[in-house]
Amino acid sequence: MLNPMTLARARHAILLTLACAVGGLAAVPARAAFPDKPIKLVVPFAPGGGTDLVARTMAIAMGQELGQPVIIDNKPGAGTIIGTDAVAKSAPDGYTMVMATVAHVVNPSLQPKLPYNHDKAFAPVMLVGISPNVLVVRADSPLKSVKDLVDAARAQPGKLSFASQGAGTSAHLAGELFKNLTKTDITHIPYRGAGPAITDLLGGQVDVMFATAAAVGSFVESGKLRALAVTTATRSTAHALAKVPTIAESGVPGYVADSWYGLYAPAGTPADVIARLNAAAKKAVQTEAFRKRVESEGLVINGGSPQDFDRYAKGEEARWRKVVKENNITAE
């Protein structure tokens, strides 16, 4: 049995330890409720394209939900690597995100060296949605169908050109897969976003373009561009594209090349902050303004959990790695 003196000393030690612990907690400043300042959403493309459109529409709705503005920061170049790298090196506090596309999971297969560790640099937030790419030409183009394009390309190998919003993007891969499956030689012209590519397509500097439905849907609807085919396995539900055949049914069996958009934050972003961003993004994609703007362009809204997005992205990475290897696709 402990004597009274020993018990008193033990009690004193316990009280002193508790006092130190409480004092230490008091000394640590409480983290402000997230968010307490504007959030930056990096778009790794030039303004005016499909990714930019989706990001800007979403930023408005997310800002209203979060109570802080979500500011778009366009950082185009290097097949999305410049903008993506900027986010990878940002503070993991939830105040910087990137609107990623399929290029995010394809670049590791196309680029021998990336300036960031692809597997460890990012935390998934949410898969925004999936949409088709569209094969388009100018309204006055002599090419009226996929067959016309294939015949013209085979007649004059290397003469025709196709534009994309950047090397390694879903549109670039859609074009390269088309070339390989049709055994044609069409020169790829990469741009720093869909906006500049569409401008050159309309101006006659390039012959055809593979682009996201969000980027070219309004041009097809207005009659400035003609859609020859969509790249998905089934036809698009978008009004402007409802009657447009798939590339597979146009004589290229087995052809499928989806496009998608998803939000990532830097790795190490606290779980509660990721959850807050995910909740805000889910509400944003269900707003009438967002749905009306993007569903008319063919985007099928997703809006799942970070874990759902992580599984989907890893599956996409494995699928495209196989396509890249089998078809000898390069970043050029």
Side-chain angles (χ1 to χ4, degrees):
M1 180 180 293
L2 296 174
N3 61 45
M5 182 64 71
T6 301
L7 287 171
R9 287 173 179 169
R11 278 198 290 277
H12 177 73
I14 292 170
L15 290 172
L16 183 62
T17 300
L18 289 172
C20 290
V22 172
L25 289 173
V28 177
R31 193 175 77 192
F34 177 85
D36 65 350
K37 62 181 181 180
I39 295 170
K40 180 167 64 177
L41 176 54
V42 173
V43 175
F45 298 100
T51 309
D52 188 62
L53 180 151
V54 171
R56 289 180 186 277
T57 307
M58 190 164 189
I60 295 171
M62 281 191 75
Q64 292 170 345
E65 174 63 26
L66 292 167
Q68 291 288 344
V70 177
I71 301 167
I72 299 297
D73 184 10
N74 293 93
K75 290 185 178 294
T80 75
I81 292 173
I82 291 175
T84 304
D85 183 45
V87 175
K89 293 178 170 58
S90 296
D93 54 11
Y95 290 99
T96 306
M97 294 186 293
V98 62
M99 181 63 81
T101 64
V102 70
H104 185 83
V105 297
V106 172
N107 277 330
S109 299
L110 293 176
Q111 304 286 350
K113 291 185 179 180
L114 291 172
Y116 49 84
N117 186 324
H118 172 77
D119 294 326
K120 298 181 179 180
F122 304 97
V125 176
M126 193 186 81
L127 175 63
V128 177
I130 302 170
S131 70
N133 282 296
V134 189
L135 172 58
V136 292
V137 295
R138 293 183 304 282
D140 62 353
S141 171
L143 304 174
K144 308 291 186 183
S145 65
V146 169
K147 183 179 184 303
D148 286 348
L149 174 58
V150 172
D151 289 344
R154 287 176 178 168
Q156 294 181 297
K159 182 180 179 182
L160 294 181
S161 59
F162 83 89
S164 79
Q165 65 259 37
T169 61
S170 63
H172 172 207
L173 294 174
E176 295 293 342
L177 187 59
F178 181 86
K179 287 165 55 178
N180 278 277
L181 293 181
T182 58
K183 295 180 172 54
T184 54
D185 181 7
I186 307 173
T187 303
H188 175 225
I189 309 295
Y191 288 80
R192 292 162 66 90
I198 292 170
T199 298
D200 275 8
L201 177 63
L202 291 170
Q205 281 74 40
V206 288
D207 300 296
V208 301
M209 180 178 177
F210 285 85
T212 61
V216 298
S218 61
F219 291 93
V220 172
E221 198 158 18
S222 67
K224 292 181 180 179
L225 294 175
R226 182 192 308 124
L228 301 184
V230 294
T231 65
T232 38
T234 58
R235 294 193 180 195
S236 174
T237 57
H239 174 70
L241 303 173
K243 296 181 179 179
V244 178
T246 67
I247 289 180
E249 69 179 288
S250 299
V252 190
Y255 183 100
V256 178
D258 295 334
S259 177
W260 53 263
Y261 306 98
L263 294 172
Y264 283 98
T269 301
D272 61 326
V273 172
I274 293 289
R276 181 78 177 96
L277 291 171
N278 176 267
K282 280 182 179 178
K283 289 189 176 181
V285 299
Q286 295 302 329
T287 60
E288 184 179 359
F290 184 85
R291 296 179 71 93
K292 188 176 292 184
R293 184 67 186 90
V294 301
E295 286 188 338
S296 64
E297 311 292 354
L299 185 72
V300 178
I301 293 171
N302 187 276
S305 69
Q307 294 75 24
D308 292 335
F309 181 28
D310 190 45
R311 283 190 293 270
Y312 175 81
K314 286 178 178 175
E316 281 284 277
E317 184 176 352
R319 181 172 81 89
W320 281 111
R321 185 185 299 115
K322 182 179 179 182
V323 172
V324 167
K325 183 177 180 180
E326 289 180 349
N327 294 285
N328 298 313
I329 298 173
T330 65
E332 298 179 358

